[in-house]
Amino acid sequence: MASMMQPQIILLKEGTDTSQGKAQLLSNINAVMAVGDVVRTTLGPRGMDKLIHDDKGSVTISNDGATIMKLLDIVHPAAKILVDIAKSQDSEVGDGTTTVVLLAAEFLKEAKPFVEDGVHSQNLIRSYRTASTLAIEKVKELAVSIEGKSVEEKKGLLAKCAATTLSSKLIGGEKEFFATMVVDAVMAIGDDDRLNLIGIKKVPGGNMRDSFLVDGVAFKKTFSYAGFEQQPKKFLNPKILLLNIELELKSEKENAEIRLSDPSQYQSIVDAEWNIIYDKLDKCVESGTKVVLSRLAIGDLATQYFADRDIFCAGRVAEEDLNRVAAAAGGTVQTSVNNIIPEVLGTCEIFEEKQVGGERFNIFSGCPSGRTATIVLRGGADQFIEEAERSLHDAIMIVRRAVKNSTVVPGGGAIDMEVSKYLRQHSRTIAGKSQLFINSYAKALEVIPRQLCDNAGFDATDVLNKLRQKHAMQSGEGASYGVDINTGGIADSYANFVWEPAVVKINAINAATEAACLILSVDETVKNPKSESAQGDAAAGAMGRGRGGGRGRGMRRR
Ligand code: ADP
Ligand code: MG
């Protein structure tokens, strides 16, 4: 491309691979569209799942855009941007990850013919940014607040949002069941920001419907020693002691060296060790606790000692579980058994060790602070439970978002159609090329309802025409019409409770536009050779593949 007539100026080292100009931009757009095509079919309640397996043999089945993008191991530098926006959507709002990838790909698909025709990408970028601002304003305007409702009413509304999120997942068949569970869990932790207060425990086996919510903490029985079976397994209002110390008789042979002159002294050393541990155990017992949990091991001596005194104990409790018990039961984790004052002991209404499927679970329910919840998930295959967990995570995030922002928009493509219509109308008021670009942006938004139809096997053209007509109605009463996933026609998404929190859409539009603009603004990719060719620097002499001189930015094209 560079003019070979001019003397060469060596700028980059030998082996540097550069590609630039329109061709590069188009190649980036194609790569992004290819990624969009991968996740396309997973959108919506009738979306398909992807099975991804890696060379280590681990298999993941997922419908979640972010998960799929992460596992795809994309190497194309431009397409990687999509992985990032999917991830950021996942961490910002938790849902809408497929939507965001699809939108970005569609924005670029619409931009492609313009680029081919020689439109400068800065013009496109400017129009896209304007369109995105307008779209977001419109979404905000159309959003309906669920503030000021009674708790019960609000719970019902939130469950609708959760159900919409879950409807596109493997567990969609039981969406009402899980939606209520998720709302209860989120309500339990209140406005605490720590997401890990909601625990999800997976127990393979049983039926999805056997899953249940504990208004407190539940974790799998930990490793236990002889004597454990003699301990009581149920308490009402027990005091709970949380420890971060080992309660084990240690033979100190590895850690200490003791010189004895008289063999009879040996016994006193052994006794001293026993005294230390008995002293610790006594202090635990004296505190009046009935349940002792420790992050570190509780050995056989301690287990038997507690059993004899009708105390339950569990050692090697995972840190997050211990912290959740602390948050829920109101105790503090102790690193010493000296001075156990009543304030550091937690409590709960019922502690119980229960059989769940093939596992035994320690369950603390009716915790005073009430700020934790644990969902115990049941189901067949491992992959199924894993995906169920990811789906619940999406739903939990959505409900939390809705609680915080409490505005919702109609889903099923309704909001996308309405914003699209608004942008089309707006574009007519603009003179110049920008009109075309904003129109393309508007058209790109229609990808959501179109893909929902395609994935469900409906005639997308037919449904979209009906939707366009409904949304064009002057009275505005068609504004919340979206794809009816059950009949293949159109329906009022708002009335059917297909709701999404407004932030999902706002964030998706924002992130997808940013990604599209980012890719449009790249006109050159430079690949640096491996640094091992350091000596290649010198060799990059006269024959080096440098860049042609005098080729400023202004000369990229033509
Ligand atoms: P994402 O990863 O983007 O959340 P999903 O596969 O969860 O993708 O699909 C979300 C889309 O499906 C949203 O546009 C939502 O409005 C739509 N949707 C969800 N439930 C329904 C339903 N019952 N009827 C119609 N559309 C629905
Ligand atoms: Mg979703």
Side-chain angles (χ1 to χ4, degrees):
M1 213 178 282
S3 154
M4 299 309 287
M5 292 295 106
Q6 291 167 343
Q8 295 235 320
I9 296 175
I10 312 302
L11 197 59
L12 301 174
K13 65 183 171 188
E14 167 105 9
T16 305
D17 183 18
T18 69
S19 1
Q20 69 261 68
K22 199 159 100 179
Q24 176 60 26
L25 181 50
L26 288 173
S27 132
N28 284 346
I29 293 180
N30 287 339
V32 170
M33 278 161 56
V35 176
D37 285 340
V38 174
V39 295
R40 190 174 285 278
T41 53
T42 67
L43 185 82
R46 299 281 185 269
M48 309 294 279
D49 297 340
K50 301 280 168 197
L51 187 153
I52 302 161
H53 61 124
D54 59 17
D55 48 6
K56 289 191 212 76
S58 73
V59 174
T60 312
I61 298 180
S62 185
N63 179 279
D64 182 51
T67 310
I68 298 171
M69 297 293 284
K70 225 181 297 168
L71 293 175
L72 277 184
D73 203 7
I74 289 173
V75 291
H76 192 281
K80 268 189 177 161
I81 293 173
L82 290 196
V83 182
D84 291 340
I85 57 169
K87 271 193 205 154
S88 86
Q89 176 85 9
D90 194 38
S91 56
E92 282 283 313
V93 280
D95 195 19
T97 47
T98 315
T99 307
V100 75
V101 174
L102 213 51
L103 278 179
E106 198 68 17
F107 289 150
L108 287 173
K109 187 175 166 190
E110 288 297 328
K112 192 175 160 190
F114 293 120
V115 175
E116 278 168 342
D117 289 348
V119 172
H120 195 293
S121 39
Q122 286 303 341
N123 290 337
L124 275 164
I125 292 175
R126 208 175 311 122
S127 302
Y128 272 19
R129 288 235 163 90
T130 318
S132 144
T133 318
L134 289 170
I136 288 170
E137 272 168 20
K138 192 70 189 168
V139 173
K140 283 188 181 151
E141 190 188 312
L142 291 169
V144 179
S145 174
I146 56 170
E147 204 64 78
K149 302 259 177 17
S150 73
V151 175
E152 276 311 308
E153 247 181 314
K154 213 170 176 180
K155 267 191 173 179
L157 301 179
L158 291 172
K160 299 283 188 315
C161 290
T164 304
T165 297
L166 290 175
S167 65
S168 57
K169 308 289 182 192
L170 260 177
I171 55 175
E174 302 284 357
K175 60 182 176 189
E176 276 86 20
F177 175 73
F178 284 108
T180 333
M181 193 181 274
V182 164
V183 173
D184 287 340
V186 173
M187 288 304 208
I189 67 164
D191 45 31
D192 200 310
D193 267 333
R194 288 171 298 171
L195 190 62
N196 56 12
L197 289 179
I198 302 181
I200 300 183
K201 299 286 164 187
K202 295 165 281 187
V203 190
N207 189 307
M208 274 193 291
R209 280 253 170 197
D210 297 338
S211 309
F212 58 95
L213 179 77
V214 179
D215 62 335
V217 187
F219 58 87
K220 230 184 260 180
K221 171 177 170 289
T222 53
F223 185 80
S224 62
Y225 288 93
F228 176 77
E229 286 310 324
Q230 294 158 31
Q231 295 179 347
K233 299 289 155 42
K234 183 170 181 176
F235 290 102
L236 297 178
N237 297 312
K239 293 246 181 313
I240 303 167
L241 176 61
L242 307 166
L243 295 174
N244 194 4
I245 48 174
E246 212 159 288
L247 292 176
E248 209 162 10
L249 184 64
K250 277 205 189 153
S251 73
E252 297 284 2
K253 63 178 189 291
E254 272 125 28
N255 311 336
E257 186 178 312
I258 302 167
R259 295 193 178 202
L260 304 171
S261 49
D262 181 356
S264 65
Q265 288 175 346
Y266 183 68
Q267 190 57 42
S268 68
I269 305 291
V270 174
D271 288 347
E273 274 181 33
W274 284 78
N275 287 342
I276 292 173
I277 175 104
Y278 276 127
D279 178 51
K280 283 188 190 168
L281 295 176
D282 280 335
K283 281 182 174 147
C284 294
V285 175
E286 277 162 26
S287 70
T289 177
K290 283 290 163 202
V291 177
V292 180
L293 304 179
S294 178
R295 210 167 84 65
L296 301 175
I298 296 185
D300 45 0
L301 175 76
T303 307
Q304 188 63 51
Y305 191 88
F306 286 137
D308 294 343
R309 284 153 190 80
D310 283 344
I311 293 175
F312 176 90
C313 72
R316 300 207 178 109
V317 177
E319 190 171 6
E320 56 162 23
D321 289 327
L322 200 67
N323 289 342
R324 283 223 307 278
V325 176
T332 336
V333 181
Q334 298 295 300
T335 48
S336 147
V337 287
N338 296 317
N339 193 21
I340 304 177
I341 47 171
E343 284 75 41
V344 302
L345 296 175
T347 186
C348 67
E349 273 165 28
I350 304 172
F351 164 76
E352 199 174 1
E353 195 201 89
K354 244 192 346 204
Q355 189 79 22
V356 180
E359 312 271 4
R360 294 197 71 78
F361 263 79
N362 297 320
I363 297 177
F364 302 79
S365 48
C367 295
S369 79
R371 288 207 336 267
T372 45
T374 309
I375 295 172
V376 179
L377 261 182
R378 306 296 316 276
D382 275 349
Q383 284 91 359
F384 175 84
I385 304 196
E386 301 273 336
E387 172 69 355
E389 184 190 8
R390 282 191 290 270
S391 313
L392 285 187
H393 174 260
D394 278 16
I396 289 170
M397 292 293 281
I398 282 308
V399 175
R400 281 159 54 86
R401 285 291 149 193
V403 169
K404 279 223 173 86
N405 294 320
S406 63
T407 54
V408 295
V409 291
I415 185 76
D416 311 271
M417 285 306 287
E418 187 62 18
V419 172
S420 174
K421 179 204 81 176
Y422 167 70
L423 286 180
R424 275 178 213 265
Q425 277 176 352
H426 180 85
S427 74
R428 281 189 214 121
T429 64
I430 302 172
K433 277 183 286 187
S434 183
Q435 183 186 93
L436 294 173
F437 306 152
I438 292 189
N439 223 346
S440 297
Y441 188 97
K443 185 163 167 234
L445 288 173
E446 287 183 353
V447 69
I448 303 294
R450 189 170 342 111
Q451 200 59 46
L452 286 173
C453 291
D454 280 347
N455 290 353
F458 305 149
D459 181 348
T461 319
D462 183 42
V463 176
L464 247 66
N465 280 338
K466 281 189 197 153
L467 280 178
R468 283 198 200 101
Q469 184 231 355
K470 254 301 181 234
H471 283 265
M473 276 166 45
Q474 281 298 320
S475 59
E477 65 184 74
S480 53
Y481 270 73
V483 180
D484 184 346
I485 219 71
N486 299 317
T487 64
I490 60 172
D492 189 336
S493 294
Y494 202 76
N496 286 340
F497 299 113
V498 180
W499 295 1
E500 290 176 280
V503 282
V504 175
K505 271 284 127 80
I506 292 173
N507 216 65
I509 291 177
N510 209 354
T513 312
E514 274 314 312
C517 291
L518 196 60
I519 287 168
L520 282 175
S521 68
V522 172
D523 76 327
E524 176 155 357
T525 327
V526 181
K527 185 165 186 247
N528 281 326
K530 288 225 176 66
S531 49
E532 65 193 15
S533 62
Q535 77 278 35
D537 280 355
M543 295 303 291
R545 214 186 110 202
R547 304 205 298 171
R551 203 163 36 80
R553 277 184 72 83
M555 292 182 61
R556 266 168 308 176
R557 305 211 160 69
R558 283 179 279 272

